């Protein structure tokens, strides 16, 4: 009887371990599938020699959603989505946008991709003139409107918006609509501090 109980106990342990492996595999598969739908396919990755970057279909949806937001608020914008190295994946310049609006949208996207953080948060962090001057060779654009694109804790690109009074909100709306809930936006620093870029008009 004791021997039978031992075998039964051992069998239960084996079954529980097997079930745990199945659930773990299912969880990993679900996690991979979420990331997989937004990054390059295996065939494209083989050609690009990298996979963890936003695919064109997702980039286009982000751009279109930002444009929808702008139209709903009677604005025009320039918007770019770039990969983690700052290369353009998709972009659009609405009618009436000036060259500086279009350029700053791209600079914001590239800054967010490089810093792995929003341009607003980076501006807050680099709050003194010395901090900013020592980073001039990095070509950072420290104005709100650039957000990293993060899925499953992986940066797969960034979006930058320029030319409106709600650049950052436009980018945030687009990411939320296409990718789901996003971390809260950075807030302006307290008045009287050196970090004033976050509160300046967006370009």
């Amino acid at each position: 009887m004791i021997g039978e109980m031992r075998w039964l106990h051992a069998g239960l342990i084996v079954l529980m371990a097997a079930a745990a492996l199945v659930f773990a595999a299912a969880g990993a598969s679900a996690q991979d599938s979420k990331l997989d739908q937004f990054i390059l396919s295996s065939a494209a990755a083989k050609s690009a020699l990298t996979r963890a970057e936003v695919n064109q279909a997702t980039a286009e949806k982000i751009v279109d959603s930002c444009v929808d937001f702008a139209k709903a608020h009677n604005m025009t914008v320039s918007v770019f989505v770039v990969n983690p190295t700052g290369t353009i994946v998709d972009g659009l310049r609405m009618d009436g946008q000036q060259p500086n609006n279009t350029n700053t949208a791209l600079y914001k996207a590239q800054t967010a991709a490089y810093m792995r953080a929003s341009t607003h948060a980076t501006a807050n962090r680099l709050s003194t003139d010395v901090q900013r001057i020592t980073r001039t060779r990095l070509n950072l654009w420290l104005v709100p409107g650039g957000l990293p694109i993060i899925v499953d804790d992986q940066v797969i690109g960034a979006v930058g918006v320029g030319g409106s009074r709600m650049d950052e909100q436009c980018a945030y709306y687009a990411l939320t609509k296409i990718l789901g809930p996003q971390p809260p936006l950075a807030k302006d620093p307290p008045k009287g501090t050196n970090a004033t870029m976050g509160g300046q008009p967006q370009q």
Side-chain angles (χ1 to χ4, degrees):
M1 183 67 180
I2 294 177
E4 291 177 356
M5 290 296 295
R6 287 177 178 174
W7 279 109
L8 179 60
H9 182 65
L12 287 173
I13 292 176
V14 171
L15 286 174
M16 291 173 64
L21 288 173
V22 169
F23 283 119
S29 177
Q31 186 177 33
D32 290 343
S33 65
K34 181 181 179 182
L35 183 61
D36 287 346
Q37 64 183 310
F38 300 121
I39 63 176
L40 298 184
S41 66
S42 297
K46 185 175 181 180
S47 175
L49 301 180
T50 184
R51 187 161 189 237
E53 66 175 59
V54 60
N55 59 41
Q56 196 279 325
T58 299
E60 183 177 1
K61 291 177 183 177
I62 292 171
V63 169
D64 289 346
S65 294
C66 189
V67 170
D68 290 342
F69 178 92
K71 290 179 178 178
H73 290 81
N74 297 313
M75 307 182 305
T76 65
V77 296
S78 293
V79 53
F80 286 96
V81 172
V82 301
N83 70 6
T85 61
T87 301
I88 297 171
V89 180
D90 199 89
L92 186 143
R93 169 190 173 274
M94 295 178 71
D95 291 345
Q97 287 281 285
Q98 298 178 2
N100 68 302
N101 303 140
T102 305
N103 288 339
T104 56
L106 177 58
Y107 299 156
K108 291 175 188 179
Q110 292 172 333
T111 298
Y114 183 82
M115 294 300 292
R116 305 305 198 247
S118 75
T119 50
H120 194 156
T122 300
N124 290 349
R125 184 160 60 88
L126 304 180
S127 59
T128 69
D129 292 338
V130 172
Q131 288 174 318
R132 290 174 179 165
I133 289 172
T134 56
R135 289 163 174 80
T136 54
R137 293 189 65 181
L138 300 179
N139 295 320
L140 302 181
W141 200 257
L142 303 177
V143 179
L147 298 175
I149 302 172
I150 302 174
V151 179
D152 290 341
D153 298 322
Q154 297 295 305
V155 173
I156 62 173
V159 56
V161 182
S164 80
R165 65 185 185 279
M166 300 176 70
D167 293 343
E168 189 173 45
Q169 291 86 344
C170 188
Y172 191 80
Y173 169 84
L175 293 186
T176 301
K177 181 176 180 181
I178 303 305
L179 302 178
Q182 299 291 303
L185 291 173
K187 296 181 179 180
D188 288 341
K191 291 183 178 181
T193 65
N194 290 323
T196 58
M197 291 294 288
Q200 290 186 357
Q202 303 180 55
Q203 297 291 329

